[in-house]
Amino acid sequence: MPPATADKTMEKLVSLAKRRGFVFQSSEIYGGLGSVWDYGPLGVELKKNIKERWWRSMVHERHDIEGLDAAILMHPKVWEASGHVAGFTDPLVDCKQCKNRFRADDPKIKGTPGQPDAQCPVCGSKGTLTAPRQFNLMFKTFMGPVEDQAAVVYLRPETAQGIYVNYLNVQQSSRQKIPFGIAQIGKAFRNEITPGNFIFRTREFEQMEMQFFVKPGTESEWFETWRAERMNWVKGLGIRDEKLRWHQHGPDELAHYAKDAYDIQYEFPFGWQEFEGIHNRTDFDLSNHQKHAGKKLDYLDPKTNERFIPYVVETSAGADRTTLVVLCDAYREEDVRGEEAAEGGEQRVVLKLKPSLAPLKAAVFPLVNKDGMPELAHRIHDDLRRHFNVFFDDGGSIGRRYRRQDEAGTPFGITIDGQSTQDQTVTVRDRDTLKQDRVAAGKLVEYLKQKLAG
Ligand code: GAP
């Protein structure tokens, strides 16, 4: 099969995601809601597996990081202190002709917005783009029954602030000593001007963030440590090395809170883009909260008796973007030969997901719906489902059933055939190699556990 072109790959991925139940457009029956997506039965499992892997490596496997689940709604002063009310903005331009809106730095705009030479990338009119104005990306709502300025609260645009305002609560209750970190997974919201590329840039998304509190002067060392740790974790998802790279933020790219920042980028079908950032946030956030809240947030070092406001090294990943990385990296179109081709066709689409991330670990197929095969298949399915998320499918030819599971990224296909009812063995087909092993039904749990490790 010839290699798929870039935008066709995204189109095909979005279509597969819907067909197999990974991701659906939000409120689809009403025509959809701009850049908001729902995760279906397979998508919720895939994203959950990624989040659990992150939590395990960042919280459970470390003595120096604690977990937190802070509320989405926070005191509005949090966002004044953090600089988001004043500075979390994008430059916005409107086209007076077609009424579309763009980020002022949209590469599709020719010329300088606000000037007669500027051309609208949608309707092509010249001189109709307004001069840029700053647009705040935070969603606002009201707390309580009165909808006035005093009742305004924001939907958090990052989970990090819930960690900063709780850092002393966590430190004191868990008796951690600096250096230590706090990790959190949760929803964040941004009223993006130009969302898009499926689940890459959305208005509601999930972040997996960790703030590591360190003694001032040690932050550069910790920054490098966390860069290495996070790249290792990403590679552990099974992502191809050549599709990953670092990008250091230049002075004009740095967020208002960051002194230094590196992105981990992936080569998506639409180009190299970040999906995780490592940031040196200095004492920017804690100092500002101390000032605005009027509460001391310094730390007393029990060894040296020094008091200081910790510096923060942040690792910030998007759960949805990481899910998109995993999906893009796993997506393959392949030619098939031999018996498989005869049964299921000469081409297949397959998600080569790392088995431990795959939503379904195995599918159980009775070869035909007679001669005791369905009964044995159900018994095996019931046994396996106590250990793994497994699927039962007795619909259509075995070749078609394999192809459906290839698209779902299911690493193992277990077929119960005529021999199975005689000697209690089954065939296990490997999604990637297409090789089949004959395995005793009683040994399946052990067999799969071994294959799913890692
Ligand atoms: N606390 C730091 C922070 O929020 P960021 O670079 O703005 O930093 C971190 O966001 C990560 O959150 C990004 O690398 C991306 O994976 C995810 N993210 C940010 N905006 C997003 C959006 N609109 N849609 C999906 N994911 C987003």
Side-chain angles (χ1 to χ4, degrees):
M1 216 184 264
T5 60
D7 19 299
K8 282 273 183 273
T9 304
M10 277 316 284
E11 236 172 72
K12 289 179 193 174
L13 191 66
V14 173
S15 147
L16 179 147
K18 181 175 177 190
R19 187 165 69 246
R20 291 287 160 236
F22 281 93
V23 180
F24 310 123
Q25 197 182 11
S26 161
S27 322
E28 191 186 1
I29 60 167
Y30 288 96
L33 180 67
S35 291
V36 186
W37 298 88
D38 299 337
Y39 286 76
L42 296 192
V44 66
E45 293 291 334
L46 176 62
K47 183 152 80 140
K48 186 168 65 67
N49 290 342
I50 292 170
K51 288 189 288 183
E52 280 178 3
R53 197 177 173 91
W54 186 89
W55 192 260
R56 206 164 53 241
S57 90
M58 296 298 268
V59 181
H60 291 177
E61 289 175 5
R62 296 195 63 114
H63 68 278
D64 55 356
I65 299 186
E66 304 290 338
L68 180 74
D69 183 11
I72 288 171
L73 299 177
M74 301 182 73
H75 197 290
K77 281 195 177 160
V78 166
W79 305 109
E80 284 171 32
S82 70
H84 283 81
V85 170
F88 195 56
T89 55
D90 272 344
L92 172 80
V93 302
D94 293 285
C95 174
K96 288 185 267 185
Q97 181 65 32
C98 67
K99 311 290 181 218
N100 273 296
R101 293 184 147 181
F102 312 92
R103 277 177 63 126
D105 53 6
D106 189 326
K108 294 192 294 299
I109 295 178
K110 294 201 187 86
T112 313
Q115 302 296 317
D117 68 318
Q119 189 174 14
C120 171
V122 171
C123 69
S125 306
K126 274 198 168 177
T128 55
L129 294 178
T130 60
R133 63 189 166 87
Q134 291 304 319
F135 173 78
N136 196 294
L137 301 184
M138 284 196 293
F139 278 98
K140 278 184 197 169
T141 187
F142 300 97
M143 190 105 152
V146 184
E147 295 193 0
D148 65 9
Q149 192 53 33
V152 164
V153 288
Y154 301 95
L155 302 188
R156 66 183 176 197
E158 62 167 5
T159 62
Q161 298 302 326
I163 294 180
Y164 298 136
V165 299
N166 276 301
Y167 112 87
L168 278 182
N169 285 338
V170 174
Q171 184 264 322
Q172 286 161 4
S173 58
S174 62
R175 298 192 293 127
Q176 283 283 0
K177 292 187 181 63
I178 275 175
F180 81 101
I182 304 175
Q184 162 158 245
I185 298 177
K187 290 266 183 171
F189 303 82
R190 294 183 190 176
N191 199 0
E192 301 279 3
I193 300 171
T194 46
N197 280 325
F198 194 31
I199 51 172
F200 177 80
R201 183 171 284 114
T202 54
R203 294 193 167 106
E204 173 178 344
F205 54 96
E206 259 183 301
Q207 291 188 313
M208 308 185 287
E209 296 201 304
M210 192 281 298
Q211 316 296 316
F212 205 72
F213 301 88
V214 305
K215 189 173 177 180
T218 65
E219 68 277 8
S220 301
E221 213 176 302
W222 278 109
F223 190 70
E224 290 311 316
T225 303
W226 278 110
R227 278 206 319 129
E229 288 277 335
R230 293 309 303 151
M231 187 56 108
N232 266 345
W233 184 84
V234 166
K235 289 188 176 170
L237 298 173
I239 310 301
R240 289 165 288 183
D241 277 14
E242 67 274 20
K243 294 276 186 182
L244 295 166
R245 73 177 188 194
W246 285 107
H247 167 74
Q248 185 177 19
H249 282 209
D252 53 338
E253 289 173 280
L254 283 172
H256 61 272
Y257 49 71
K259 189 173 146 208
D260 195 5
Y262 276 81
D263 290 337
I264 305 180
Q265 292 189 334
Y266 177 75
E267 191 180 19
F268 291 95
F270 44 88
W272 287 96
Q273 294 285 345
E274 71 146 314
F275 62 101
E276 168 151 2
I278 323 299
H279 311 133
N280 174 0
R281 291 181 75 136
T282 69
D283 60 352
F284 177 89
D285 300 272
L286 290 182
S287 293
N288 278 322
H289 284 307
Q290 173 164 287
K291 205 156 55 195
H292 281 73
K295 293 265 160 55
K296 282 234 161 277
L297 293 179
D298 55 2
Y299 171 82
L300 174 65
D301 189 323
K303 275 204 193 118
T304 63
N305 263 342
E306 282 173 278
R307 280 191 176 277
F308 56 83
I309 298 216
Y311 269 42
V312 170
V313 175
E314 168 183 69
T315 73
S316 175
D320 310 85
R321 254 187 225 181
T322 308
T323 303
L324 185 59
V325 167
V326 166
L327 280 172
C328 288
D329 208 64
Y331 182 90
R332 309 289 160 81
E333 295 172 356
E334 289 184 346
D335 291 331
V336 184
R337 294 184 205 297
E339 208 179 312
E340 279 261 353
E343 283 170 349
E346 287 177 353
Q347 291 171 345
R348 69 166 183 163
V349 170
V350 54
L351 288 185
K352 293 196 165 175
L353 296 169
K354 183 170 181 139
S356 55
L357 294 181
L360 295 164
K361 304 305 182 202
V364 179
F365 312 121
L367 185 62
V368 289
N369 280 316
K370 56 181 185 185
D371 302 335
M373 288 180 226
E375 293 76 7
L376 180 56
H378 277 297
R379 274 208 303 282
I380 289 173
H381 180 237
D382 286 345
D383 189 27
L384 291 179
R385 77 199 311 178
R386 291 190 288 123
H387 303 270
F388 317 102
N389 194 26
V390 286
F391 190 72
F392 184 92
D393 189 0
D394 59 1
S397 73
I398 194 72
R400 286 175 144 254
R401 284 182 267 170
Y402 283 157
R403 290 293 178 272
R404 285 200 287 266
Q405 293 308 315
D406 285 346
E407 286 197 346
T410 309
F412 303 104
I414 299 168
T415 303
I416 288 78
D417 56 17
Q419 189 181 329
S420 310
T421 53
Q422 305 301 311
D423 66 3
Q424 306 291 307
T425 64
V426 297
T427 63
V428 182
R429 170 198 182 254
D430 183 298
R431 175 197 67 198
D432 299 339
T433 63
L434 303 180
K435 291 218 176 81
Q436 302 204 2
D437 276 349
R438 191 111 212 150
V439 180
K443 291 260 160 61
L444 269 176
V445 170
E446 205 182 309
Y447 176 93
L448 291 178
K449 273 192 178 155
Q450 219 172 43
K451 297 265 184 186
L452 291 167

